[in-house]
Amino acid sequence: MSGITRRDLLVGSAAVLASPAIAGIAAHRTFAAVDQSIEMHRVSHEIVKSMPTPGMMSFSADGPPPVIRMRQGETTAIEVRNRLDEASTVHWHGLRIDNAMDGVPYLTQAPIEAGESFRYRFTPPDAGTFWYHPHCNTLEQMARGMTGVLVVEDSEDPGFDQDLPLNIRDFRIGSKGQFLQFYKARNTARGGTLGTISTVNWRIDPAYDLPAGSLIRLRLAVTDLTRVGHYTLTGGEAHVIALDSNPVPAPMPVDEIIMGPGQRADIALKIPDNEGEQVELILRKPSGDVRIASFRATGQSARRQLAELKPLAPNPIPEPDLANAETLEFVFGWSPAGDAPANPICGNLGYLFWSINRVAWQGDFPDPTAPLAVMKPGKSYILRLRNETPYEHPIHLHGLTFRLLRSNKRQIPSLLTDTALLQAEETMEVALVADNPGDWAFHCHVIEHQKTGLTGFLRVET
Ligand code: C2O
Ligand code: CU
Ligand code: CU
C-alpha cells in the first residue's frame, strides 16, 4: 500500500478548493498545491461522423483524454477524480517513479472508488513520450477510450518549431457508432481481438495543417489494446529520434516502425517547403495500407533543416554490469489454471488462458500472490524472456527501464525500453539495474492477455 491515506487524499483534493481554514493547511505544504487535475468521465463522442458512440470513457468531461505535460526532474502533482460509476486507478506508463504512485490496484494503492479522488505526486527522471491509462477493469476502461499521451519535456529544447502528440489506437465500433463486444474469447486465447476503426487523437484520418518548411516533433504513442502495428511515414524528410521515451543512438529510418501496444516513437519531421504538399502516416495492415493521419504544408516555407536539431540528451538510466549480473528466467505460455475466480473489483474476463512461469495471475485482489522474482537493490540482472507461444507478446515492466541485449531469432538493436516486443517463440535477453524499490507489475500489454493470466510482478527490495 502507498503511504497516502484517505485523509491525506481529502486534504489534497477538496481542501485546496474549500474553506480558508483548510486552505491554510495547504499553504504550509512545502510542495506546490495540485498542479494539474484530470477527471474520469463517461462521455459520448463522435468517432464516426454523425454517429456518436455512447458509453465512451475519458479523462475529460467532453472529448479525448488531454495530453498531460510535465518537465523532467520537476515534481508534479496530479489530482485524479473518479466520476465513473466504478473503481479505477491511473498508471503512468514508462515513468520510473515511486512505487506508491504507480497506480496498480493493491500492489501499490487501493482502487480509487467511484466518486473518490487520488492525488498522484512524482518527479519524472526521464524526458520523452509516455502515456497513461487505468490499471483497473483495464480492458473495458481502455476499450472505451481511457488512454492518453503524457509528455515529459526535455530540460534542454532540441529546437523544434512544434510538438504534436499522436494518440494512435483502434476502437471496436460498429457501423451505427455503437461499441462492439470488446473481446472474443477465441481471440483472447490467440493474438487478441483487433479494433474495427483506426484513430489518431480520437479522429479518423485527421489532417494537420503545419507551417511549410518547419520542424515538427511527432510523438507517436500506440495506446491500442491489441495491435502490433507496422507504421511508415511517406512524403517528407523524417527520422526516428527516440523509441519508448529513450533517444536512439543514431537516427533511424521511418519506413518501417514496428510498435506493439504501449510503445512509442518520436519522429523528427520536416514539413515540405511547398504549400499543399503533404506527409502521410500509414498503418500497414494485412488487408492493405491505411492512411491514419496527414500533415499538410501551409504558407511560406520556414526553410528549416533537420540538421539544425540538437540531438536529444540520453535519459539517466543506469548501465547494467553484465559481467556480474544474475540471470532470471521467465516463460510466457499457456495457463494450467482453468477458469478465473469470480469478481475482483477491477474485473476479469472469466478465463485464464495465459501464464508467466506457469502461474496465471488470478486478477487484482487485496492479497497478491508472490512476486515472480526478488531483486536486490542496486544489483544488475539479465531477464531471459522466453515466449513459448506462436503469438507476439509486448512484455512490459513497470518502474524500471531495461536494455535489449539479444534474441535467439534475430539481430536486435541495443535499445532502452520498458516493453520488449517478443515475436512468436522468441527468447530475448534484456538487462537492468534494480535501482527502484517496490513491487513492479510485469505483464503482456495485449490487454486480453494481461487480463487472462499473463501478469505478475517483480519485487525490488529496499
Ligand atoms: Cu501500460 Cu501495466 O501498463
Ligand atoms: Cu507501465
Ligand atoms: Cu501477450
Side-chain angles (χ1 to χ4, degrees):
M1 265 301 297
S2 79
I4 297 232
T5 63
R6 176 73 75 86
R7 214 176 110 260
D8 284 340
L9 187 147
L10 290 173
V11 171
S13 57
V16 175
L17 309 165
S19 76
I22 306 179
I25 296 175
H28 282 109
R29 302 199 155 197
T30 51
F31 51 89
V34 174
D35 295 321
Q36 326 203 20
S37 67
I38 47 176
E39 286 197 352
M40 301 167 151
H41 279 274
R42 279 209 173 235
V43 295
S44 163
H45 189 85
E46 273 180 32
I47 299 282
V48 182
K49 202 169 180 315
S50 311
M51 300 280 187
T53 302
M56 294 190 70
M57 288 181 178
S58 183
F59 292 97
S60 156
D62 50 3
V67 174
I68 297 181
R69 288 183 184 266
M70 52 191 71
R71 295 187 70 85
Q72 183 176 21
E74 284 183 13
T75 301
T76 309
I78 304 184
E79 173 81 14
V80 174
R81 303 191 187 102
N82 180 0
R83 303 270 189 265
L84 304 172
D85 48 18
E86 60 183 66
S88 192
T89 60
V90 185
H91 169 59
W92 319 95
H93 181 122
L95 294 189
R96 298 184 300 132
I97 53 178
D98 283 356
N99 193 243
M101 297 292 120
D102 194 48
V104 181
Y106 304 113
L107 216 51
T108 73
Q109 69 169 98
I112 312 169
E113 302 285 348
E116 292 192 350
S117 301
F118 188 87
R119 187 176 204 272
Y120 292 91
R121 180 171 177 268
F122 49 77
T123 310
D126 306 316
T129 303
F130 300 85
W131 66 296
Y132 64 101
H133 60 81
H135 227 278
C136 180
N137 200 12
T138 315
L139 182 90
E140 183 175 343
Q141 292 184 7
M142 282 178 57
R144 291 182 184 277
M146 295 178 83
T147 63
V149 180
L150 189 160
V151 172
V152 181
E153 320 247 13
D154 308 72
S155 15
E156 220 194 310
D157 183 71
F160 288 98
D161 295 303
Q162 258 185 68
D163 159 314
L164 180 56
L166 302 173
N167 179 353
I168 301 171
R169 58 166 297 167
D170 295 350
F171 286 96
R172 286 187 49 77
I173 288 178
S175 57
K176 303 240 175 343
Q178 82 285 11
F179 273 125
L180 304 173
Q181 198 194 338
F182 296 130
Y183 68 96
K184 295 186 180 146
R186 69 180 299 278
N187 297 336
T188 304
R190 297 177 169 77
T193 309
L194 290 171
T196 58
I197 289 179
S198 292
T199 64
V200 171
N201 296 340
W202 280 31
R203 292 159 68 195
I204 299 171
D205 190 22
Y208 294 92
D209 285 342
L210 295 160
S214 64
L215 297 178
I216 309 293
R217 179 174 185 166
L218 297 178
R219 296 176 176 274
L220 280 61
V222 174
T223 75
D224 193 54
L225 288 76
T226 316
R227 184 184 298 281
V228 177
H230 293 228
Y231 300 86
T232 182
L233 205 64
T234 60
E237 269 175 80
H239 47 236
V240 175
I241 55 171
L243 289 170
D244 297 339
S245 320
N246 290 291
V248 292
M252 293 166 69
V254 293
D255 48 336
E256 186 161 53
I257 306 168
I258 302 176
M259 285 181 284
Q263 297 198 281
R264 293 86 69 201
D266 286 49
I267 295 175
L269 166 66
K270 181 190 164 165
I271 300 297
D273 285 312
N274 299 321
E275 173 144 36
E277 279 183 29
Q278 70 176 27
V279 178
E280 301 191 329
L281 176 60
I282 307 287
L283 168 60
R284 330 192 94 152
K285 292 186 178 176
S287 54
D289 289 359
V290 182
R291 186 179 73 198
I292 57 170
S294 57
F295 313 95
R296 231 172 10 210
T298 59
Q300 280 275 324
S301 177
R303 301 238 162 254
R304 302 274 324 262
Q305 300 293 340
L306 286 175
E308 295 165 29
L309 294 169
K310 276 185 281 191
L312 299 173
N315 285 321
I317 317 272
E319 210 41 67
D321 170 7
L322 296 178
N324 296 299
E326 183 184 327
T327 300
L328 304 171
E329 309 267 354
F330 301 96
V331 180
F332 308 102
W334 306 113
S335 164
D339 293 344
N343 290 328
I345 181 171
C346 289
N348 67 26
L349 308 191
Y351 307 94
L352 292 173
F353 292 129
W354 305 94
S355 65
I356 304 180
N357 291 350
R358 314 284 170 226
V359 178
W361 183 256
Q362 305 278 308
D364 302 306
F365 288 101
D367 188 17
T369 53
L372 291 161
V374 178
M375 298 188 275
K376 296 243 177 304
K379 217 174 119 54
S380 295
Y381 292 87
I382 293 172
L383 315 186
R384 184 174 293 143
L385 311 176
R386 183 153 70 85
N387 176 8
E388 59 172 24
T389 79
Y391 303 101
E392 290 169 298
H393 299 285
I395 301 297
H396 171 54
L397 176 59
H398 289 209
L400 297 159
T401 294
F402 50 82
R403 188 179 280 289
L404 303 183
L405 295 181
R406 57 193 150 257
S407 152
N408 67 338
K409 284 186 74 173
R410 55 183 167 136
Q411 287 294 322
I412 48 171
S414 166
L415 299 172
L416 290 165
T417 177
D418 50 65
T419 306
L421 180 54
L422 297 185
Q423 296 182 345
E425 270 117 27
E426 180 176 33
T427 299
M428 220 191 257
E429 289 184 354
V430 307
L432 55 74
V433 179
D435 64 344
N436 196 3
D439 286 344
W440 298 110
F442 182 53
H443 61 86
C444 178
H445 226 293
V446 170
I447 309 298
E448 286 158 86
H449 295 173
Q450 173 190 356
K451 292 296 284 183
T452 56
L454 223 163
T455 297
F457 70 96
L458 309 187
R459 175 168 294 161
V460 178
E461 290 177 333
T462 43

